[in-house]
């Protein structure tokens, strides 16, 4: 009887220890999820080899201060074919030392990816299944939700990832996330009262003229004094802006253009 009691007493602490370890692991997982929720999710590192045989590592590119756009696609995807030329054009608007796009296909071999690159003007590295595209996609599927193809993400130099950005040929949301990334926009690149608008004061449903020092496409955002977004759109080299219906008051105009943010006030006075 004493031996049996001894056996029971030896196993019980081991059982309690295993339970404790499982509970601690669960708490750690919950803590990681909470941190990701509050502070933003961190991108998972990966390495791919593009169709030219060049190797690309995500964390290595981020360490250079670059923002990385991830383009999860496959060659026979009709929306991928539609948006890819516009994505290639977007890349030309940024300094190569500040932005890179990595195309990742989970089901196409190198020959198929090369054909896709030629047909749709891809000017950035792309990897198929032979270059680790399938492994990388499966890795991200285990952490993130793939709602549709293509799936776009922006990874900042601090490894924070903005996942599943809106798919449109203007890439308004994607451009905004690029501008938000550390290393792409710094406090030195924010210019207050550098956008001249006239007439100012203006009124709803009118058109104002923006006097910008730099040419090229930009994202324009108009917010109220309470922080409500009134207007957000991509303007392609046009300096004319139509004001939507809004109440009298002070509004804040923000222009995001490549590495710079220009801010100014706009007064609305309706008759």
């Amino acid at each position: 009887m004493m031996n049996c009691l001894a056996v029971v007493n030896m196993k019980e602490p081991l059982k309690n220890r295993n339970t404790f370890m499982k509970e601690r692991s669960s708490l750690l997982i919950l803590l990681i999820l909470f941190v990701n929720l509050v502070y933003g999710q961190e991108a998972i590192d990966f390495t791919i080899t593009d169709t030219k045989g060049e190797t690309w590592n995500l964390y290595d590119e981020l360490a250079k201060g670059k923002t990385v756009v991830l383009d999860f696609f496959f060659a026979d995807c009709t929306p991928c074919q539609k948006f890819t030329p516009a994505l290639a054009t977007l890349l030309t608007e940024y300094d190569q030392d500040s932005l890179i796009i990595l195309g990742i296909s989970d089901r196409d071999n190198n020959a198929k990816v090369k054909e896709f690159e030629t047909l749709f003007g891809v000017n950035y590295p792309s990897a198929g299944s032979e270059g680790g595209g399938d492994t990388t996609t499966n890795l991200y599927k285990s952490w993130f939700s793939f709602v549709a193809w293509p799936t776009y993400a922006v990874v900042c130099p601090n490894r924070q990832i903005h996942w599943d950005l809106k798919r449109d040929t203007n890439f308004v949301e994607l451009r905004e996330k690029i501008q938000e990334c550390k290393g792409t926009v710094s406090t030195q690149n924010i210019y207050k009262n550098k956008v001249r608008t006239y007439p100012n004061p203006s009124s709803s449903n009118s058109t104002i003229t923006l006097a910008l020092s730099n040419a090229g496409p930009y994202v324009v955002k108009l917010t109220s004094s309470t922080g409500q977004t009134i207007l957000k759109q991509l303007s392609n080299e046009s300096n004319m802006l139509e004001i939507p219906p809004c109440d009298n008051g002070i509004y804040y105009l923000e222009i995001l253009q490549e590495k710079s943010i220009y801010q100014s006030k706009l007064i609305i006075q309706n008759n």
Side-chain angles (χ1 to χ4, degrees):
M1 180 66 68
M2 291 297 293
N3 289 338
C4 291
L5 287 174
V7 171
V8 171
N9 288 336
M10 289 176 64
K11 286 187 175 181
E12 192 64 29
L14 180 60
K15 179 180 179 181
N16 291 338
R17 177 179 174 81
N18 290 338
T19 301
F20 171 75
M21 293 299 292
K22 289 180 179 178
E23 290 177 350
R24 190 173 73 169
S25 298
S26 299
L27 288 173
L28 285 173
I29 292 173
L30 289 174
L31 179 61
I32 292 172
L33 292 174
F34 174 76
V35 170
N36 283 338
L37 179 63
V38 175
Y39 296 101
Q41 292 178 302
E42 182 172 303
I44 309 166
D45 193 23
F46 63 83
T47 300
I48 57 174
T49 302
D50 65 20
T51 55
K52 297 178 181 178
E54 190 168 353
T55 299
W56 303 88
N57 176 265
L58 176 63
Y59 281 7
D60 285 351
E61 296 305 310
L62 298 176
K64 298 174 185 176
K66 293 183 180 180
T67 295
V68 180
V69 175
L70 304 181
D71 171 22
F72 292 91
F73 77 101
F74 62 93
D76 292 330
C77 159
T78 301
C80 302
Q81 298 169 2
K82 175 183 177 181
F83 297 129
T84 293
L87 188 64
T89 299
L90 178 145
L91 180 60
T92 64
E93 300 170 10
Y94 293 86
D95 187 347
Q96 293 183 353
D97 292 331
S98 66
L99 181 72
I100 185 173
I101 300 175
L102 297 178
I104 303 167
S105 173
D106 67 337
R107 64 198 72 180
D108 300 314
N109 58 27
N110 276 354
K112 190 77 171 180
V113 174
K114 285 181 179 179
E115 181 183 6
F116 183 86
E117 290 175 329
T118 301
L119 287 174
F120 300 101
V122 177
N123 54 357
Y124 47 85
S126 295
S129 56
E130 298 172 54
D134 53 349
T135 304
T136 301
T137 302
N138 290 334
L139 176 65
Y140 271 73
K141 280 183 176 179
S142 66
W143 284 89
F144 301 98
S145 174
F146 280 72
V147 178
W149 300 91
T151 292
Y152 298 120
V154 170
V155 186
C156 300
N158 64 355
R159 300 182 181 178
Q160 182 180 2
I161 186 170
H162 302 280
W163 182 255
D164 194 24
L165 302 179
K166 185 177 180 181
R167 288 161 282 276
D168 65 78
T169 53
N170 291 328
F171 293 111
V172 173
E173 186 179 21
L174 190 144
R175 291 174 187 272
E176 285 188 337
K177 297 307 179 185
I178 291 173
Q179 298 290 8
E180 290 176 9
C181 283
K182 292 182 179 180
T184 303
V185 176
S186 64
T187 54
Q188 287 77 19
N189 298 116
I190 299 178
Y191 304 98
K192 296 184 181 294
N193 302 318
K194 291 294 184 179
V195 181
R196 296 192 304 276
T197 60
Y198 48 94
N200 190 7
S202 187
S203 60
S204 296
N205 299 313
S206 63
T207 300
I208 64 172
T209 302
L210 306 175
L212 299 175
S213 57
N214 297 326
Y218 57 88
V219 175
V220 59
K221 184 177 181 181
L222 184 67
T223 57
S224 68
S225 57
T226 60
Q228 179 185 4
T229 299
I230 307 299
L231 173 72
K232 183 172 65 175
Q233 68 182 42
L234 173 70
S235 295
N236 191 17
E237 300 188 10
S238 172
N239 63 344
M240 308 300 292
L241 178 65
E242 294 185 4
I243 302 299
C246 48
D247 298 329
N248 292 344
I250 297 176
Y251 293 80
Y252 298 94
L253 188 67
E254 188 173 78
I255 306 294
L256 293 82
Q257 190 175 48
E258 196 170 330
K259 294 183 178 181
S260 302
I261 296 178
Y262 302 91
Q263 299 173 335
S264 186
K265 289 182 181 180
L266 178 65
I267 300 174
I268 299 296
Q269 291 181 349
N270 297 307
N271 296 329

